[in-house]
Amino acid sequence: MRWFLWLLLVVALITGVLYGVGRFLLPNNLEVTRTASIERPRASVFAMINDLRIAKEWSPYYARDPDADYAFNGDPGEGQSMRWISNVREVGRGRMSIVSSSENEEVQSILEMGDRATLNSVIALRPGENATSVAWTVTADCAEGAVNVPCRYMNLIMRGAVGAELESGLTRLKTLTEQLPNVNFEGLSPQFDTIEPQNFVYSVVETSAVDLTEVNRAEAMGLEQVRRFMSEYQLTEAGPLVRVVTEYDQATNRMSFRVGYPFSGPTPLTVVGVQLGQTPSGEAMHVLVEGSRAQVRTAYAQMNAYMQAHRIAMRENGLPWEVVHNQGAVDGSTPTRLEIYMPLQ
């Protein structure tokens, strides 16, 4: 009996020491940070973290079970949530919600791992030298009461595991983001609308894709035919000049496009030298560009990069088109002002 009392005393002593260490020496919160440098502009990285439909692709849990069931609610950014259910024990079930989003700077989320834990996540972006610095921090606080001290010990154990998860996720984020075009589209501000078709009289122009003088000359010849036809048949312009790209051959630097005007009035029964049709229509992403011709080309590259980063698909066999409000001069003395449209699925 005496030995039993000694055993109780030893157990009580050890328990007291463990409680004291946990209560007064171990931190009440878990905080783990991992960093990465991604060789893409921060707008591309932000697109990958601000939409949970995309974020799941680089999540360490997705890597463990790509066949898990996912359900999403809300648009990208603040308020969007994602639920998942997996038969893989390490993945289990959970919910992630974006609680705060600062464009191109930071995304804050809450991660609920079933009944196991609730974690706070902050991913911060900082522009660097030809790269974006990414810092991913996960925190958790222990509740008061009987679970407080065990929770502190659990945080101590979880620290290494959480760090490994963050490193895995950042590695996948870096790999996927660096597959995107290295084009900075920050500040692009595209609009999304449903565009109605209009009757359209146009000429087909085939010309160099790089010689702007030649492009202007060929387009002017095509427009001369269009204006002559419209005058002859008393057609009224129903909108600005429209230019529809139909083909671009990068190998030969040649392109063809339709150029002309929407019109109102009876459709002519006879057509010579020009063609009749309708302007492109349907769901489209569009951007207003004001500046030099070089800026117009830059805008095309930015729109393409934006669509890839946000997983926005162009309509199959869809043709980009331009609505030209001001043609502009080749020498830049008069700025170009036009809208570029990309047809969407």
Side-chain angles (χ1 to χ4, degrees):
M1 190 69 180
R2 192 173 176 182
W3 67 268
F4 182 69
L5 294 175
W6 276 104
L7 179 61
L8 288 178
L9 181 61
V10 171
V11 170
L13 182 62
I14 293 174
T15 302
V17 170
L18 290 175
Y19 178 85
V21 170
R23 182 66 178 176
F24 300 109
L25 297 182
L26 294 182
N28 189 58
N29 67 303
L30 169 73
E31 181 171 332
V32 182
T33 299
R34 294 293 184 269
T35 62
S37 179
I38 299 178
E39 296 179 2
R40 286 297 181 271
R42 66 176 181 171
S44 296
V45 184
F46 183 76
M48 300 291 287
I49 67 174
N50 192 53
D51 186 345
L52 295 179
R53 290 177 174 83
I54 301 175
K56 79 175 180 62
E57 298 177 16
W58 54 264
S59 162
Y61 299 112
Y62 182 77
R64 291 181 180 178
D65 185 12
D67 297 323
D69 291 329
Y70 287 88
F72 301 90
N73 183 50
D75 296 326
E78 184 174 334
Q80 189 183 37
S81 63
M82 169 181 73
R83 294 181 181 272
W84 72 89
I85 300 176
S86 169
N87 294 324
V88 177
R89 187 176 67 84
E90 294 83 356
V91 179
R93 65 174 60 208
R95 182 174 185 267
M96 187 173 186
S97 305
I98 297 178
V99 297
S100 177
S101 176
S102 180
E103 187 173 8
N104 300 323
E105 293 182 356
E106 184 179 273
V107 174
Q108 298 183 23
S109 307
I110 294 178
L111 180 61
E112 301 168 82
M113 302 298 297
D115 57 359
R116 293 177 291 172
T118 298
L119 306 174
N120 300 307
S121 167
V122 178
I123 302 179
L125 310 179
R126 298 292 179 268
E129 187 70 25
N130 299 319
T132 299
S133 175
V134 183
W136 189 3
T137 300
V138 166
T139 60
D141 294 320
C142 292
E144 291 299 325
V147 300
N148 184 266
V149 172
C151 175
R152 294 184 185 220
Y153 278 103
M154 183 58 67
N155 284 348
L156 190 65
I157 296 171
M158 288 178 59
R159 193 176 304 276
V162 171
E165 298 284 10
L166 299 189
E167 290 176 357
S168 173
L170 287 175
T171 298
R172 290 176 58 81
L173 174 61
K174 177 179 174 66
T175 298
L176 291 175
T177 307
E178 290 182 354
Q179 293 174 3
L180 299 173
N182 194 6
V183 175
N184 187 8
F185 53 80
E186 190 167 329
L188 187 66
S189 299
Q191 302 295 313
F192 297 84
D193 291 293
T194 300
I195 310 301
E196 297 297 329
Q198 294 178 283
N199 290 330
F200 181 43
V201 54
Y202 63 91
S203 288
V204 177
V205 177
E206 183 176 342
T207 183
S208 165
V210 294
D211 187 335
L212 289 179
T213 301
E214 181 61 25
V215 171
N216 288 341
R217 188 187 70 83
E219 182 175 292
M221 292 173 61
L223 286 176
E224 184 180 351
Q225 287 183 312
V226 170
R227 293 190 183 102
R228 188 185 309 121
F229 180 86
M230 294 180 71
S231 175
E232 181 177 350
Y233 286 91
Q234 299 181 340
L235 301 179
T236 303
E237 292 180 15
L241 173 70
V242 175
R243 186 186 296 125
V244 184
V245 177
T246 56
E247 187 176 352
Y248 173 65
D249 189 337
Q250 191 171 11
T252 61
N253 283 322
R254 302 282 298 176
M255 69 175 179
S256 62
F257 57 90
R258 303 168 186 168
V259 60
Y261 292 95
F263 70 89
S264 59
T267 302
L269 299 178
T270 303
V271 179
V272 178
V274 297
Q275 297 187 38
L276 299 177
Q278 287 192 318
T279 57
S281 59
E283 296 294 326
M285 182 180 93
H286 59 105
V287 169
L288 178 64
V289 184
E290 296 182 272
S292 67
R293 297 294 182 88
Q295 286 173 299
V296 173
R297 293 187 177 184
T298 298
Y300 270 101
Q302 290 176 320
M303 293 177 74
N304 176 61
Y306 182 99
M307 292 175 68
Q308 290 193 46
H310 289 84
R311 301 293 194 269
I312 300 173
M314 182 178 281
R315 190 184 313 154
E316 185 176 1
N317 299 322
L319 304 173
W321 75 94
E322 300 171 0
V323 174
V324 183
H325 302 286
N326 187 6
Q327 184 78 293
V330 176
D331 61 6
S333 57
T334 304
T336 295
R337 185 173 184 272
L338 58 79
E339 289 177 279
I340 303 173
Y341 290 77
M342 294 289 187
L344 307 180
Q345 287 187 354

